[in-house]
Amino acid sequence: MKSVKYILLISILLLGIVFLATLPGTMRKSKTEESTTASASSQTSEQSSVSLNTSVADGSSAIVVGGEPESSASSSSGGGDAAVDKNEWAFFLINQTHPLPDNYTFERKAVQGKFEMDARCADYMINMLADAKKAGVNLNIVSAYRSVEYQQTLLDNDTKKYEKQGYSHEEAVKMASQAVAIPGQSEHNAGICADILEAGSYSLTEDFEKTDEFKWLSENAAKYGFILRYPKGKEKITGIEYEPWHYRFVGPYYAQKIKDSGLCLEEYYEKEKGTN
Ligand SMILES: [Zn+2]
């Protein structure tokens, strides 16, 4: 009996020793955890403030620094959403059935030489011309903003040309207006388009589509917000002959959508806004 009691006592003592030996260990461990958590959180806030600063200066490098991918991602994507400018002011029709309002006014800005456009889209054109040049493509504007008065002169000249060929005045006006829009019905009057050719050329002919300049425009114009306004095969809808040289500003957002859709502006506009 005595030996049994002795063994029990020793066991209790051993258990006690084991318990005491473990206790400081767990305490030490939890302390270590605390300090790591504290240093980790201070690191995180430091890093996230760095990444925020970086995303302001250069959004693309935020991920590289990225202490907190979630917060930097949401802040940059939030900013991205707000930054999408649809240029709604430029998303409208000007054609035979949608003339410009009489009181339509806008500020103009030079885009190349004497040629001017609506100041709200002038920089898009300026950037496009500059980037084309960097790519070795010399785009040359031959017409941009035209006053309503000048538009009338153009139409009169073209009408006379057809009258000389023996057409009646009415027929001549109808034929002329296929190539030269009636004043107030031309995008040139609104300063939102430009006729662009290769450097050194001044003749608006379908041959322009064979040039490197046309190829570059076909690939890149949408990025700068411009569409080929009078495409081949859409003449009956636009009411204007195929014009590979005429580029109309609708903003990069709509330009890409229109390009991808394969529709002309009349068709796309109807789909988006309905007829009016
Ligand atoms: Zn034009």
Side-chain angles (χ1 to χ4, degrees):
M1 282 297 277
K2 238 183 186 181
S3 64
V4 174
K5 264 188 189 173
Y6 189 64
I7 287 165
L8 265 174
L9 196 72
I10 286 174
S11 316
I12 288 163
L13 269 169
L14 277 170
L15 273 171
I17 287 162
V18 167
F19 177 69
L20 282 169
T22 339
L23 195 60
T26 33
M27 277 173 79
R28 199 168 41 239
K29 201 185 166 200
S30 70
K31 253 192 179 176
T32 323
E33 260 174 13
E34 245 175 55
S35 66
T36 9
T37 317
S39 74
S41 68
S42 74
Q43 226 180 5
T44 310
S45 63
E46 237 175 63
Q47 280 183 346
S48 69
S49 74
V50 167
S51 73
L52 273 174
N53 288 338
T54 322
S55 73
V56 173
D58 175 14
S60 60
S61 60
I63 293 158
V64 179
V65 184
E68 272 195 332
E70 256 181 37
S71 71
S72 55
S74 67
S75 72
S76 66
S77 79
D81 282 350
V84 170
D85 182 0
K86 291 186 182 177
N87 294 99
E88 291 286 355
W89 69 270
F91 188 59
F92 68 107
L93 283 177
I94 309 171
N95 57 24
Q96 300 87 331
T97 49
H98 297 80
L100 273 180
D102 287 338
N103 58 357
Y104 189 79
T105 55
F106 54 94
E107 264 184 59
R108 301 198 299 270
K109 182 178 173 178
V111 289
Q112 191 182 66
K114 62 177 178 171
F115 296 108
E116 296 175 326
M117 290 182 72
D118 186 312
R120 291 170 289 182
C121 63
D123 287 339
Y124 289 89
M125 177 59 78
I126 290 165
N127 290 339
M128 182 166 83
L129 299 177
D131 288 350
K133 199 163 197 170
K134 277 181 212 158
V137 174
N138 287 311
L139 302 175
N140 195 36
I141 295 179
V142 295
S143 183
Y145 164 73
R146 296 200 289 250
S147 71
V148 168
E149 295 73 33
Y150 183 63
Q151 190 73 30
Q152 186 65 55
T153 310
L154 287 179
L155 185 69
D156 290 346
N157 290 346
D158 225 40
T159 305
K160 275 177 209 156
K161 185 182 86 186
Y162 287 114
E163 282 175 337
K164 272 184 192 167
Q165 289 172 21
Y167 293 99
S168 73
H169 179 71
E170 270 188 2
E171 282 172 328
V173 171
K174 202 181 166 190
M175 289 170 81
S177 64
Q178 303 269 302
V180 182
I182 287 166
Q185 297 178 11
S186 169
E187 294 182 338
H188 287 280
N189 301 147
I192 53 172
C193 67
D195 295 339
I196 303 171
L197 291 175
E198 73 272 34
S201 174
Y202 295 93
S203 57
L204 302 171
T205 69
E206 284 190 23
D207 282 348
F208 179 60
E209 72 175 5
K210 295 171 190 159
T211 64
D212 288 345
E213 286 76 7
F214 177 75
K215 191 168 174 268
W216 191 91
L217 283 166
S218 302
E219 283 163 13
N220 298 290
K223 281 186 247 167
Y224 303 88
F226 293 91
I227 54 164
L228 178 71
R229 176 65 177 90
Y230 306 114
K232 200 183 266 180
K234 302 287 185 185
E235 295 87 343
K236 283 202 173 121
I237 304 162
T238 62
I240 302 284
E241 63 190 19
Y242 171 49
E243 292 193 355
W245 58 82
H246 181 110
Y247 291 84
R248 151 76 192 267
F249 183 79
V250 285
Y253 176 81
Y254 284 117
Q256 196 57 55
K257 283 189 174 289
I258 291 166
K259 189 185 178 185
D260 293 344
S261 73
L263 302 171
C264 68
L265 185 57
E266 274 83 2
E267 293 171 307
Y268 186 84
Y269 189 87
E270 188 179 331
K271 201 176 123 249
E272 278 287 300
K273 307 250 173 177
T275 20
N276 50 7

